[in-house]
Amino acid sequence: MLDIIQLPKIDLHCHLDGSLPITTIEQYTRQKIEKSQICITDCCHSLTEYLTKFDIPVQCLQTYEHLENATYECILNIAKENTTYVELRFAPMLSVNQNLTCDQVLESVLSGVSKGKAKTGIDCKIITCAMRHFHLDLNMQLLDSMEKYLNKGVCALDLAGDESLFPNTLFHELFEEANHRNIPFTIHSGETGNVENIRTAVDYGAKRIGHGLALIQDPDLMQEVARKKIGVEMCPTSNLQTKAIDSFDNYPLLDFLDAGIKVSINTDNRTVSNTSMTKELQFIQNMYHDDALILQLLENAHDTKFL
C-alpha cells in the first residue's frame, strides 16, 4: 500500500479561517480555547450549524499582523504533512474594517504566503471568497480588489456561505462580471442537496465545483461536468459532518470517477473538521483499498489546479 504520509499531496479546497491552529487562535484571543468551541462534533446537524464554528477564527483575522501571521502559521502546519501545493481560500471582506481596506487584507495574506513559501517551499495560491449573505456591492468590491492581485498570488474567486439560504441563482451579476474580467472561479454547490445550484454554477462557467454531492441526482449533468472537465472538490470528513451525506456508504466518489469527472479529495477545514490531507487520503485508502485510486485523485487535483 502507498505510504500516504510520505506521498506528496495537493489540497485545492482549504479555508484559512477554518484551518487556523488552535494555538494561534489562543494567542490572538488571549484566552484558553476549548476544542468544542472550534471543532465540529459528531452531533452536528447541518451546514448552518457547522458554519457557527467560524465565528471565533474570523475574529482573529482583523489586523494586518494577525492575517499575515495566521496565513504563515497555517502554511507551516500544512507543509508538515508533505502537502506540496495548496489553494488556500478566505473571505477578505470579513476582515475589512476601519483600519484595513480590502487591498490591505489581500496584501497581508499574500505576505504570509510569501513567508510560508520561503520557510517550507510549499506552493500556495489564494482563492478569494465572495459571501452569500453579503449585498452585491460588497462582493463587487471584492472583485475590484482581487482582480489587482490575479496571477500575483491570487488565482480565483469562490462563493461561500450558507448554500441552503442563498442559492446560486442570486449571484448571476457577480459571475457575469467575473467572466467579463476573465476571472476564473469555483462555486460551493450541491453541498445541501440542491442539484440546481450545481447546474447554475456550470451555466455560469465555473471551472470547479466545491463539494458537489448533489450531482449524483442528475446523470446528464454528471456527463456535462465530465465533458467540460470541471473539477469537483470533495471533502469526505466535512461532507459527513455537515450531513451532505448520511453515511459513507452513500458517498458518490466512485460514481463520479466512473462518469469521467475529475474529482479531487481535500480537507475543507483542517481545524474545524479536525482533519488533514493525510487523514482524508488514508480514509479513502482504507475504504477502497486501491492505490491506483489515490494516485488518480492526486492527478485530478493537479489537472484542475488554478494556474
Side-chain angles (χ1 to χ4, degrees):
M1 294 178 65
L2 285 171
D3 184 346
I4 300 296
I5 294 174
Q6 297 301 320
L7 192 67
K9 291 170 278 290
I10 295 173
D11 192 351
L12 300 181
H13 191 127
C14 181
H15 290 268
L16 173 63
D17 48 2
S19 300
L20 299 185
I22 290 180
T23 53
T24 301
I25 296 173
E26 288 180 332
Q27 177 187 348
Y28 293 165
T29 60
R30 298 181 180 179
Q31 60 180 334
K32 177 67 176 176
I33 298 294
E34 298 297 328
K35 195 173 181 181
S36 60
Q37 294 176 265
I38 305 296
C39 302
I40 208 69
T41 64
D42 293 338
C43 61
C44 179
H45 296 99
S46 66
L47 175 62
T48 303
E49 182 179 343
Y50 182 91
L51 292 175
T52 63
K53 298 298 183 181
F54 292 81
D55 294 344
I56 294 175
V58 168
Q59 292 171 21
C60 296
L61 302 176
Q62 300 301 314
T63 70
Y64 188 105
E65 181 183 10
H66 284 184
L67 282 158
E68 180 184 48
N69 289 341
T71 305
Y72 174 72
E73 293 294 337
C74 188
I75 290 173
L76 292 189
N77 225 22
I78 292 170
K80 288 178 182 176
E81 56 165 344
N82 202 25
T83 294
T84 57
Y85 179 89
V86 60
E87 289 176 1
L88 200 58
R89 62 185 73 190
F90 83 116
M93 297 305 293
L94 291 176
S95 298
V96 171
N97 55 53
Q98 60 184 2
N99 298 313
L100 278 179
T101 65
C102 191
D103 282 15
Q104 290 171 324
V105 170
L106 286 166
E107 288 166 4
S108 64
V109 168
L110 290 173
S111 178
V113 168
S114 180
K115 291 181 177 180
K117 183 175 182 178
K119 179 71 173 180
T120 67
I122 191 172
D123 189 4
C124 176
K125 300 292 188 293
I126 295 298
I127 297 174
T128 61
C129 296
M131 295 303 296
R132 293 180 185 272
H133 65 285
F134 279 178
H135 190 275
L136 176 63
D137 289 348
L138 282 179
N139 286 330
M140 286 297 191
Q141 285 181 40
L142 168 64
L143 211 62
D144 290 338
S145 284
M146 65 89 68
E147 186 180 19
K148 303 172 190 176
Y149 302 92
L150 194 63
N151 301 320
K152 300 175 182 177
V154 172
C155 65
L157 175 71
D158 182 23
L159 177 65
D162 196 335
E163 184 189 349
S164 66
L165 299 179
F166 304 93
N168 288 351
T169 50
L170 299 176
F171 301 94
H172 63 279
E173 292 177 74
L174 176 67
F175 291 107
E176 183 178 45
E177 185 62 23
N179 278 318
H180 178 70
R181 301 188 193 192
N182 293 316
I183 296 172
F185 51 87
T186 179
I187 306 178
H188 282 71
S189 304
E191 190 179 8
T192 57
N194 188 340
V195 70
E196 292 305 315
N197 277 338
I198 302 175
R199 193 185 317 280
T200 303
V202 171
D203 290 344
Y204 285 159
K207 302 299 183 186
R208 293 205 312 254
I209 301 296
H211 302 292
L213 280 299
L215 186 58
I216 193 64
Q217 300 172 21
D218 191 331
D220 290 338
L221 186 57
M222 287 171 61
Q223 289 301 318
E224 183 177 358
V225 167
R227 185 172 66 253
K228 292 182 175 179
K229 296 181 170 57
I230 298 170
V232 174
E233 312 153 357
M234 297 183 81
C235 308
T237 299
S238 79
N239 291 158
L240 187 65
Q241 292 169 336
T242 63
K243 302 303 184 285
I245 51 170
D246 54 8
S247 81
F248 283 124
D249 292 338
N250 299 321
Y251 206 51
L253 173 63
L254 297 186
D255 301 274
F256 290 171
L257 289 170
D258 288 344
I261 296 171
K262 287 190 172 293
V263 176
S264 59
I265 294 296
N266 310 277
T267 57
D268 200 9
N269 299 285
R270 295 169 60 88
T271 303
V272 171
S273 284
N274 189 27
T275 192
S276 66
M277 276 305 301
T278 300
K279 286 183 179 180
E280 298 294 336
L281 290 176
Q282 284 178 335
F283 165 75
I284 298 298
Q285 186 181 55
N286 292 335
M287 187 169 184
Y288 298 107
H289 307 284
D290 186 348
D291 285 345
L293 171 62
I294 302 295
L295 296 176
Q296 181 64 60
L297 292 167
L298 290 171
E299 182 179 340
N300 290 346
H302 180 272
D303 291 347
T304 55
K305 291 189 298 185
F306 284 118
L307 297 175

